Amino acid sequence: MRTLRSLMLAAALAVALAVTGFAASPLPSAYAKYAAGPTKILPLQRAFPLDELVELSELRARDRVRHARILLGGGRQSSVGGVVDFPVQGSSDPYLVGSKMTMLYFTKVKLGSPPTEFNVQIDTGSDILWVTCSSCSNCPHSSGLGIDLHFFDAPGSLTAGSVTCSDPICSSVFQTTAAQCSENNQCGYSFRYGDGSGTSGYYMTDTFYFDAILGESLVANSSAPIVFGCSTYQSGDLTKSDKAVDGIFGFGKGKLSVVSQLSSRGITPPVFSHCLKGDGSGGGVFVLGEILVPGMVYSPLVPSQPHYNLNLLSIGVNGQMLPLDAAVFEASNTRGTIVDTGTTLTYLVKEAYDLFLNAISNSVSQLVTPIISNGEQCYLVSTSISDMFPSVSLNFAGGASMMLRPQDYLFHYGIYDGASMWCIGFQKAPEEQTILGDLVLKDKVFVYDLARQRIGWANYDCSMSVNVSITSGKDIVNSGQPCLNISTRDILIRLFFSILFGLLLCIFFSLT
């Protein structure tokens, strides 16, 4: 009888674990497996100060720094459980005069025991999560973003561990980069960028904390061990305090990206998504999981590329294709089309940029007055731009088209002579790569499906909740507090297991 009761209790506990989504797994090494988990959340916040007007030259300079890093590949080192999602704040419009402006997004993450909170920039163009170490002597100690900077204290964390040079992680990461070993046998890194800035430090392992959504209103604390970088030295723009954050949260394709680490252990699915709200006060969400929206179209990722490259085939303006040879968009190590949340504007290769600019100017309404402002093509508009400017389509492999409204390729630059001045937000690429930045990524759901090697998108109001299925590693959130809307199928599944759990408990107690 005691054996039967024990079996019944074990079965009840197993069902309880199935309902909540927890499953145990061993931790064999620094890159060990961890508990496969339920839905998880982290908040994202604005990365730039409010009420700030930024000149186009400054935006281009920031993007040039960004692109130098991308082109050098300096930051690159080369099932389904729950979903981590990041509520986003801020607007993608870099020229909201006297209003709120955001060009980058950052989130708060917690590392260590006891946990320390860090503000880290979200970046799909780099791989690792790195934060500033307490031993860094030249790193910023204050930020013009109105946030407090923190430093990771490795000796002060009860769960911190070092990655040695003989660790398989170190050898796998440095297959294409010379490994760096410190005097105490720590696996080090050094990222040097084309703009002269850089960071170096060593890899650590420690506990990464997040919230777990277990049901429609149930949120629990959760955690997993991850490998991340601890920066002991920074140079160039990284040392400046005006826009300093605690580090960078890389969502690239490398082995040490948070996406790769968590999905390889079944903690999150091999897919992530974002939806950035472009108007008003901004907002949105960044999800480690797949957002489901109607009308999603997909284009395959270009294989064997270090970044999220797509095959752009043509560009249409007002329904007419630009007379472009598709070869100008062909992907290679230095060419192609990159989707990058770390870029503010959008950059077209020179062959496409000139044709695009001429097509827009030739298609605008006669009620629009063209004007050159600070060397940029702008237009004076006295009414809504929706009726004054043509639609634009970016056409990709797989039959997927990205339809752009005027506000997706124009930015508002204030009032001039009693009219609104709108300027072209597309820029001529300094290199041979087309880069799709936040200007065109806003007001759309983007899904990076790494399992199927494709990227999907659909127009969407990012202030609304987005649907994701819990059973397939998907979540539902909005631009403010996370909002979980479980599908009917998920509810029935959970209800079935809940009833089964209750019956098993009743049997157990009846046998005692």
Side-chain angles (χ1 to χ4, degrees), residues 170-216:
C170 191
S171 59
S172 66
V173 167
F174 290 109
Q175 285 177 349
T176 58
T177 305
Q180 301 178 3
C181 290
S182 64
E183 295 179 357
N184 55 357
N185 197 33
Q186 286 181 307
C187 182
Y189 66 85
S190 180
F191 303 152
R192 296 296 168 187
Y193 305 128
D195 65 317
S197 67
T199 176
S200 60
Y202 51 89
Y203 287 108
M204 298 285 303
T205 64
D206 212 334
T207 305
F208 173 66
Y209 298 89
F210 38 78
D211 290 332
I213 300 180
L214 305 179
E216 196 143 358

Side-chain angles (χ1 to χ4, degrees), residues 253-482:
K253 299 167 69 177
K255 294 180 180 180
L256 286 191
S257 74
V258 172
V259 171
S260 297
Q261 291 192 58
L262 297 183
S263 64
S264 66
R265 289 174 276 162
I267 298 172
T268 62
V271 57
F272 67 93
S273 316
H274 59 70
C275 190
L276 305 178
K277 187 170 179 286
D279 60 353
S281 59
V285 68
F286 201 109
V287 179
L288 290 187
E290 183 179 1
I291 298 175
L292 299 177
V293 295
M296 183 75 67
V297 296
Y298 292 91
S299 184
L301 284 166
V302 179
S304 304
Q305 294 295 315
H307 305 288
Y308 295 112
N309 286 65
L310 294 175
N311 273 315
L312 178 61
L313 302 179
S314 63
I315 299 176
V317 176
N318 210 23
Q320 300 296 315
M321 296 300 110
L322 300 183
L324 277 169
D325 186 344
V328 302
F329 300 120
E330 284 184 356
S332 67
N333 289 336
T334 58
R335 297 174 64 94
T337 301
I338 297 174
V339 179
D340 180 35
T341 61
T343 293
T344 305
L345 303 172
T346 288
Y347 293 79
L348 295 178
V349 292
K350 59 183 180 181
E351 297 91 339
Y353 176 79
D354 293 334
L355 290 173
F356 174 80
L357 192 61
N358 291 335
I360 295 297
S361 295
N362 292 335
S363 300
V364 297
S365 167
Q366 294 182 350
L367 300 178
V368 172
T369 303
I371 184 174
I372 302 297
S373 176
N374 295 325
E376 302 298 326
Q377 180 62 62
C378 301
Y379 307 90
L380 298 180
V381 185
S382 58
T383 184
S384 171
I385 61 173
S386 299
D387 301 325
M388 299 290 105
F389 289 85
S391 62
V392 171
S393 65
L394 304 180
N395 306 304
F396 297 87
S401 292
M402 188 183 302
M403 303 305 299
L404 304 182
R405 308 160 300 170
Q407 55 266 43
D408 296 328
Y409 61 84
L410 299 171
F411 61 82
H412 187 216
Y413 200 42
I415 304 298
Y416 180 83
D417 198 23
S420 293
M421 183 163 67
W422 290 82
C423 301
I424 296 289
F426 281 23
Q427 302 294 304
K428 184 180 296 186
E431 304 290 340
E432 295 181 318
Q433 285 184 318
T434 292
I435 302 177
L436 307 181
D438 293 339
L439 185 66
V440 301
L441 304 183
K442 69 179 187 293
D443 298 323
K444 301 174 186 67
V445 167
F446 270 80
V447 174
Y448 301 70
D449 188 344
L450 306 184
R452 297 179 178 88
Q453 287 294 293
R454 62 182 186 172
I455 291 181
W457 58 85
N459 292 333
Y460 197 76
D461 180 354
C462 295
S463 64
M464 303 290 289
S465 296
V466 291
N467 296 307
V468 189
S469 168
I470 299 298
T471 54
S472 56
K474 307 175 179 85
D475 186 18
I476 296 183
V477 290
N478 61 19
S479 61
Q481 297 300 315

Side-chain angles (χ1 to χ4, degrees), residues 79-138:
S79 125
V80 176
V83 174
V84 182
D85 62 283
F86 308 83
V88 180
Q89 293 182 357
S91 169
S92 61
D93 189 342
Y95 289 91
L96 289 176
V97 180
S99 185
K100 300 180 178 180
M101 183 278 295
T102 295
M103 295 182 292
L104 297 175
Y105 299 96
F106 68 92
T107 188
K108 295 180 183 295
V109 300
K110 291 182 180 180
L111 294 166
S113 301
T116 300
E117 190 172 74
F118 300 94
N119 296 293
V120 288
Q121 176 190 332
I122 292 294
D123 183 16
T124 60
S126 63
D127 289 338
I128 73 164
L129 163 64
W130 65 263
V131 296
T132 304
C133 252
S134 58
S135 57
C136 185
S137 59
N138 71 326

